[in-house]
Amino acid sequence: MASKGNCLRYEGCNFFRQRIVLSTLSGRPVKIQGIRVKDESPGIRDFEASFIRLMDKITNGTRIEINETGTSLYYQPGLLSGGTLEHDCNILRSIGYYLESLFCLAPFMKHPLKITLRGVTNDQVDPSVDTLKATAIPLLKRFGIDGEHFELKVLKRGMPPGGGGEVIFSCPVRKLLRPVQLTDPGKIKRIRGVAYSVRVSPQIGNRIVDAARGVLNRFLPDIYIHTDHLKGANSGKSPGFGLSLVAETTEGCFLSAELASNPQGEGSTVLPEDLGRNCAMLLLEEIYRGGCVDSVNQSLVLLLMTLGQQDVSKVLLGPLSPYTIQFLRHLRSYFQIMFKMESKTFEEQKGAEKVLLTCVGAGFSNLSKPVK
Amino acid sequence: LEKTNLPNTLEMPAFADSDDDLEKSEEENSGSEEEDNDEESECEEESSDDEVEENNASTKPNQAKIKERKATPTLDSGNCTDDDGNSSKSDAVGTDSEDEQNADDSGETSEEDNGDEEDLLKEDEEQFEEDLSSDTMGALKWKEDLKKKAAEAFLNQQQSVPNLRKLVYGTVAEVEK
């Protein structure tokens, strides 16, 4: 762990996970005050409390102090220990909310992490397990995090509001991360996807696939969207369906888009055809934004670059998302790492403006990893 | 603990989310309202005491309006900053405790500014008025082709390459460079 610096203070409930995760990695305590002070129900929400409990499970020696109303939190990180664990995620947010943070922390555990997460696998807010599996896992492999035990498996699907899904994530540990040079996104080679449906007609999956292919087949032939219809105990507690699409480029970059149906009892019913078509449009939008990493994983790639060896890493991204911009600011306050940013426009390639981000790694090494 | 305040101040402008925005605007509004009430009551009680108070009372509502506008998420910062400068100037003049005329003048100018802004907002009405005013003497030149000017300014802003580093990290980045 890095040296115990002075305590960082923040105000408000935003970017809660970022602050806790970066605090855990840098070893600097963090104090977050004024969490939803003016709200009708002040203080941290249940899903944030569940997140803190997860942090407590994967670390050893973490000190957490929360005041009575839950509006103020003091977090002093311990050592990342890992091991075989399980966690019941709150159903207000999907498992993706928790997984995104685990991706940041898992490579730096003492023991390889093998965790079973239960809750909502796909919702409309957070990146779904399917999308993360198709984009974040290959991205982590670029940094030298690899091995036979590196996997993310969906055992059961759970849709909101009931949940009931189950996911296994296991990740090997690494002492150092490789610096990366992701400057050429290449061209779109193939599109893959999953059309899932639980507790609804199995035909819905096919209808989604047909509609999505109707849009995408005009651009390239190599499209395979498989239907995933789970039954019985594996289908969770609530009905629902959705689509997760991933475009792979010739250089091995992944761009993703996804959509899910409205939760039971909320909003109007969504036609599978509309969902498929809209999701395909979203994928085209993501391809327009471009870059070597899609907008879901922008902050993950920046974090891994920051934590790399003391060597230059480069990545070409599409327009930065607001979440990523705040993440860059947080990286500066926690690790004193600032990125060099250059706007790039390509004459022959159409699409949104790209940003080339360059940094020198902080030379972070996993000291808790046992030496063999 | 030196660093602790830095991130906060940097975060606020670009990233104040809905919650924070609400808090901030509420605080500001409530604060200004309270001040207004206080000053009004003071004015009623001791109207002959000093003109400075009156001046403040006349400019305060304008400021409150500007603040409300600032709180809205539109990116039209140019007008707001101009007005802010004007109002602060008038404030400074008022606090110098000069004669009543000066105070009245400043009040008028700020009212005029407000009028102009409203004209900008109601573009269609404004154009109708412009047609009338172009016949009369002293037609305002700057009012011509407002839509075109706005479009050009927008395109210029879109095409200019922004300094991303400055946008993300604030002005500190420039110093370190």
Side-chain angles (χ1 to χ4, degrees), chain A residues 294-338:
Chain A
D294 64 355
S295 30
V296 170
N297 293 300
Q298 277 180 354
S299 51
L300 177 65
V301 73
L302 294 178
L303 175 74
L304 294 174
M305 283 163 67
T306 307
L307 296 178
Q309 298 167 42
Q310 289 192 330
D311 203 343
V312 178
S313 292
K314 285 183 183 181
V315 68
L316 187 76
L317 298 179
L320 298 178
S321 69
Y323 187 83
T324 310
I325 293 172
Q326 187 58 34
F327 193 75
L328 283 166
R329 294 181 183 146
H330 276 142
L331 279 179
R332 182 177 68 164
S333 31
Y334 281 95
F335 288 101
Q336 286 81 46
I337 294 283
M338 284 170 79

Side-chain angles (χ1 to χ4, degrees), chain A residues 59 71 78 89 102 178 183 186 195 204-205 232 241 257 268 282 321 334 345 363:
Chain A
T59 54
T71 53
C89 303
L102 285 179
R178 257 198 324 241
T183 50
I204 281 184
F241 55 90
S268 54
L282 283 179
S321 69
Y334 281 95
T345 41

Side-chain angles (χ1 to χ4, degrees), chain A residues 120-188:
Chain A
V120 176
T121 52
N122 305 74
D123 72 357
Q124 297 179 313
V125 186
D126 295 297
S128 69
V129 178
D130 304 273
T131 301
L132 289 175
K133 182 180 176 176
T135 57
I137 299 274
L139 181 66
L140 284 166
K141 285 182 178 167
R142 289 284 188 110
F143 287 87
I145 304 158
D146 207 348
E148 52 185 303
H149 299 300
F150 187 38
E151 60 175 358
L152 177 60
K153 221 184 325 185
V154 184
L155 300 180
K156 297 175 188 172
R157 250 176 225 290
M159 299 291 288
E166 192 172 318
V167 165
I168 287 189
F169 172 56
S170 59
C171 181
V173 291
R174 285 289 171 272
K175 189 159 189 289
L176 291 170
L177 293 181
R178 257 198 324 241
V180 294
Q181 312 282 327
L182 299 167
T183 50
D184 182 16
K187 297 194 170 185
I188 305 295

Side-chain angles (χ1 to χ4, degrees), chain A residues 198 202 229-235:
Chain A
V198 288
H229 182 74
L230 292 177
K231 292 175 194 167
N234 290 335
S235 62

Side-chain angles (χ1 to χ4, degrees), chain A residues 7 10 14 322 329 332 339, chain B residues 4 10 15 17 165 168-169:
Chain A
C7 177
Y10 292 104
N14 283 313
R329 294 181 183 146
R332 182 177 68 164
F339 282 76
Chain B
T4 54
L10 284 174
F15 263 87
D17 70 320
R165 209 176 146 92
V168 172
Y169 293 121

